[in-house]
Amino acid sequence: MYRHILSLLLFTGTALSSNAQHLAISNNLIFDAMGALSAGVEIPYHKNTSFDIYGSVRPWKRGDDSVHKHWTVQAQYRFWPCQLMNGFFWGPYAHGGQFNIGNKDLFFGVLNGLKPNRYEGWFVGGGIGGGYEYALEKHWNIGAEIGIGYTYIDYKKYDCEVCGALRDEGTYHYFGFSRLGLSIIYVF
């Protein structure tokens, strides 16, 4: 485990020292619209590749009648056919996190029947995604992306959104849209 963390830090440090003028930070506006905090960083790795990692957290309830707490991390290795951090990109990604959601419907039919119950658990998965970044000014970009992949979800199901007895526990295998972003990006 420590070897993997050390390798990631070494990779990040090498990329930062050689390409610091192209380091980018981003904010996913879709997560903002859901009431979550999100931030990301993209680091050039080679002439036409970069590594993007971002996270989202929502540690509070939306209201008295529903619960929507989560944290998630997504990482993507990006290939840029034309120009780094400008234009079309694609690449594989991985994601994971935890959730506590009740009395709410999720996008794309994930965990159907969520509305009258509460689910808590964790997920991990990955897929392939693509997108486009457009340079607005020297340091500002806007980007959109979408990805299709697989997500393994381990959950516990409870009777109601904030209380209730454990009704069920199990796993759910989801295949479909699992990455979506509309981001404002600052490029150093």
Side-chain angles (χ1 to χ4, degrees), residues 6-7 13 19 23-24 30 34-35 43-44 54 61 89 99 106 115 127 130 135 137-138 153 161 167 169 171 177:
L6 183 60
S7 297
N19 295 303
L23 175 71
I30 293 175
M34 293 175 19
I43 303 164
Y54 77 85
K61 290 175 58 175
F89 67 86
F99 59 90
L106 292 181
K115 191 83 171 166
E137 292 183 0
K138 181 178 179 183
I153 302 170
E161 66 272 4
R167 290 186 61 202
E169 58 184 296
T171 60
F177 294 104

Side-chain angles (χ1 to χ4, degrees), residues 34-88:
M34 293 175 19
L37 303 172
S38 71
V41 64
E42 185 169 359
I43 303 164
Y45 182 64
H46 199 273
K47 181 182 175 184
N48 286 59
T49 61
S50 64
F51 181 73
D52 175 71
I53 186 164
Y54 77 85
S56 172
V57 63
R58 185 189 167 113
W60 51 80
K61 290 175 58 175
R62 179 166 233 144
D64 291 335
D65 63 339
S66 68
V67 176
H68 182 179
K69 297 180 181 181
H70 75 268
W71 69 263
T72 181
V73 175
Q74 292 194 344
Q76 183 177 31
Y77 187 74
R78 293 181 172 177
F79 299 95
W80 299 85
C82 294
Q83 182 182 2
L84 191 63
M85 294 188 196
N86 189 18
F88 175 75

Side-chain angles (χ1 to χ4, degrees), residues 3-167:
R3 182 179 53 160
H4 297 334
I5 293 171
L6 183 60
S7 297
L8 180 62
L9 289 173
L10 181 62
F11 164 75
T12 304
T14 303
L16 282 173
S17 64
S18 62
N19 295 303
Q21 70 274 15
H22 294 294
L23 175 71
I25 56 173
S26 62
N27 179 32
N28 189 335
L29 301 174
I30 293 175
F31 281 115
D32 291 347
M34 293 175 19
L37 303 172
S38 71
V41 64
E42 185 169 359
I43 303 164
Y45 182 64
H46 199 273
K47 181 182 175 184
N48 286 59
T49 61
S50 64
F51 181 73
D52 175 71
I53 186 164
Y54 77 85
S56 172
V57 63
R58 185 189 167 113
W60 51 80
K61 290 175 58 175
R62 179 166 233 144
D64 291 335
D65 63 339
S66 68
V67 176
H68 182 179
K69 297 180 181 181
H70 75 268
W71 69 263
T72 181
V73 175
Q74 292 194 344
Q76 183 177 31
Y77 187 74
R78 293 181 172 177
F79 299 95
W80 299 85
C82 294
Q83 182 182 2
L84 191 63
M85 294 188 196
N86 189 18
F88 175 75
F89 67 86
W90 67 275
Y93 64 87
H95 59 247
Q98 290 181 306
F99 59 90
N100 183 2
I101 301 174
N103 200 25
K104 190 165 189 58
D105 288 324
L106 292 181
F107 302 118
F108 311 118
V110 177
L111 293 174
N112 286 331
L114 183 63
K115 191 83 171 166
N117 303 295
R118 180 174 65 89
Y119 289 80
E120 67 177 58
W122 59 273
F123 63 93
V124 66
I128 188 133
Y132 193 88
E133 277 189 29
Y134 178 75
L136 298 173
E137 292 183 0
K138 181 178 179 183
H139 293 287
W140 289 100
N141 287 4
I142 190 161
E145 62 182 298
I146 193 165
I148 295 176
Y150 167 77
T151 304
Y152 173 86
I153 302 170
D154 187 283
Y155 68 89
K156 292 181 181 177
K157 180 178 178 180
Y158 296 90
D159 280 332
C160 67
E161 66 272 4
V162 291
C163 60
L166 177 66
R167 290 186 61 202

